[in-house]
């Protein structure tokens, strides 16, 4: 592993919460690997909307939900973050955008810190209450990299780079060094296309599961060595266009964006095999990318990659029952 030093935001310094120690977070490793399952013990009310709008031209890709009924969605247009109340479907811009900034994958931690994948080599930590950018990490050079998605596991937020065979571990809730974990073993890196995309922790909290969008494979990755072992798929030949991942226990949800479906797999105890249980489709899907859970629903943003990406293009988020 190699290590990279963080670059604090030039104007904003981490808040007191951003200086929390990592020991308590380590104890939460297994729970954090489930996405937000630990926080969503309540069931979303049946009367809550299952579809809500985003601003025109938003260009969404990532969505995050924590213990409270609010969804956070980033913009590829300018890096802004939008927050919607799941109870009403009403929302507002939480963090304003800046030309050249991008927000793709997002994850919300239990301490209110929002981790944001910044596409062009960067990752940011945002205060989900105020929208303030607390820290910016320049993980890679801006050219030839695509920092895409995130999972929270142990004392780190792990980021994928879709154009390079490396994962990056950003310290959670504190300042410190970033860990670079090269992918080895069974991992196959295909030039010129998106490879590593969605990422979640394994059920035991000791490793990571990563989807490679092209040609559509799932891998179990060792946190210690970076060795990737390809999962054997049963009931499906591949997970082509695999984008966001979400896991509840040993059930893995794979969002296949341009196929407009979620494939639901059962993982074996050793995370060596993934058996297709079912697929979820919905006429409201329009290239969904990532998913977040609240209660008995998965919420997804429609990226609409096959539609014109203009300032007037409309965008929505939708919910499906699980």
């Amino acid at each position: 592993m190699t290590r990279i030093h963080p670059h604090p935001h030039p104007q904003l310094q981490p808040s007191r919460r951003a200086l929390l120690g990592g020991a308590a977070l380590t104890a939460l490793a297994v729970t954090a690997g489930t996405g937000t399952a630990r926080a969503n013990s309540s069931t979303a009310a049946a009367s809550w909307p299952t579809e809500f709008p985003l601003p025109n031209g938003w260009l969404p890709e990532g969505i995050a939900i924590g213990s409270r009924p609010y969804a956070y969605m980033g913009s590829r247009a300018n890096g802004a973050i939008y927050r919607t109340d799941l109870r009403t479907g009403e929302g507002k811009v939480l963090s304003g955008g800046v030309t050249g900034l991008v927000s793709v994958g997002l994850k919300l931690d239990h301490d209110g810190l929002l981790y944001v994948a910044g596409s062009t080599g960067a990752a940011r930590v945002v205060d989900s209450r105020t929208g303030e950018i607390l820290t910016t990490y320049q993980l890679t050079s801006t050219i030839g990299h695509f920092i895409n998605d995130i999972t929270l596991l142990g004392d780190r937020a792990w980021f994928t780079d879709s154009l390079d065979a490396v994962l990056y571990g950003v310290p959670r809730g504190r300042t410190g060094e970033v860990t670079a974990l090269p992918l080895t073993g069974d991992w196959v890196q295909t030039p010129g296309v998106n490879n590593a995309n969605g990422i979640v922790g394994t059920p035991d909290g000791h490793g990571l599961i990563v989807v490679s969008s092209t040609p559509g494979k799932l891998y179990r990755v060792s946190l210690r060595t970076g060795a990737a072992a390809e999962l054997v798929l049963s009931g499906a030949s591949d997970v082509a266009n695999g984008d966001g991942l979400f896991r509840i226990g040993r059930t893995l949800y794979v969002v296949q964006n341009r196929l407009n479906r979620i494939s639901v797999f059962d993982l074996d105890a050793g995370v060596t095999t993934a058996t297709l249980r079912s697929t979820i489709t919905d006429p409201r899907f329009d290239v969904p990318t990532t998913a977040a859970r609240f209660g008995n629903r998965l919420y997804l943003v429609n990226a609409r990659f096959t539609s014109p990406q203009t300032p007037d293009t409309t965008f929505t988020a939708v919910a499906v029952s699980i």
Side-chain angles (χ1 to χ4, degrees):
M1 296 186 193
T2 59
R3 295 185 182 272
I4 301 170
H5 293 280
H7 297 275
H9 192 277
Q11 296 178 333
L12 303 172
Q13 295 301 317
S15 66
R16 181 177 61 83
R17 287 185 305 164
L19 299 176
L20 294 174
L25 294 171
T26 304
L28 295 172
V30 175
T31 340
T34 65
T36 55
R38 69 188 186 279
N40 295 325
S41 57
S42 62
T43 300
S47 61
W48 293 5
T50 59
E51 183 173 3
F52 48 84
L54 292 168
N56 288 1
W58 190 256
L59 306 185
E61 186 165 343
I63 182 170
I65 301 173
S67 60
R68 302 179 65 197
Y70 296 98
Y72 300 81
M73 293 151 287
S75 170
R76 289 179 286 113
N78 58 13
I81 296 171
Y82 195 78
R83 183 174 70 183
T84 293
D85 188 328
L86 300 179
R87 298 164 295 187
T88 65
E90 297 178 356
K92 65 178 182 179
V93 175
L94 172 72
S95 181
V98 177
T99 299
L101 206 61
V102 176
S103 294
V104 279
L106 299 93
K107 285 296 182 293
L108 181 62
D109 212 340
H110 72 280
D111 58 4
L113 298 181
L114 187 65
Y115 293 82
V116 183
S119 179
T120 54
R124 303 190 302 280
V125 183
V126 175
D127 187 321
S128 67
R129 181 179 58 85
T130 65
E132 177 186 12
I133 299 174
L134 302 176
T135 311
T136 296
Y137 295 89
Q138 193 62 42
L139 304 178
T140 69
S141 63
T142 58
I143 305 299
H145 296 274
F146 180 21
I147 304 303
N148 198 341
D149 212 345
I150 317 155
T151 196
L152 306 178
L153 184 63
D155 63 352
R156 294 188 179 272
W158 288 96
F159 290 75
T160 57
D161 184 342
S162 293
L163 299 181
D164 196 9
V166 182
L167 303 179
Y168 295 94
V170 169
R172 288 172 67 185
R174 60 185 175 88
T175 57
E177 295 180 334
V178 174
T179 299
L181 184 66
L183 295 171
T184 60
D186 294 341
W187 186 263
V188 176
Q189 185 75 14
T190 305
V193 297
N194 282 343
N195 290 261
N197 199 331
I199 182 172
V200 293
T202 55
D204 63 7
H206 295 157
L208 297 162
I209 301 171
V210 179
V211 62
S212 178
S213 299
T214 308
K217 296 181 178 182
L218 292 169
Y219 294 89
R220 183 185 73 255
V221 177
S222 167
L223 282 172
R224 184 175 60 85
T225 66
E230 182 181 348
L231 272 66
V232 176
L233 300 182
S234 176
S237 58
D238 57 49
V239 285
N241 300 118
D243 200 324
L245 298 181
F246 193 87
R247 182 183 58 75
I248 304 172
R250 281 165 48 183
T251 301
L252 181 68
Y253 297 83
V254 182
V255 182
Q256 293 175 267
N257 54 35
R258 293 175 187 264
L259 300 182
N260 287 313
R261 75 182 181 213
I262 306 169
S263 292
V264 186
F265 289 91
D266 292 321
L267 301 171
D268 68 327
V271 194
T272 60
T273 301
T275 301
L276 184 66
R277 179 201 302 175
S278 62
T279 58
I280 300 172
T281 59
D282 193 288
R284 299 168 303 160
F285 286 174
D286 195 346
V287 194
T289 44
T290 54
R293 177 192 177 193
F294 196 88
N296 62 353
R297 293 176 176 177
L298 281 184
Y299 289 82
L300 305 97
V301 287
N302 282 317
R304 305 195 68 191
F305 290 147
T306 57
S307 300
Q309 306 280 283
T310 74
D312 296 322
T313 303
T314 59
F315 292 95
T316 61
V318 298
V320 294
S321 297
I322 54 173

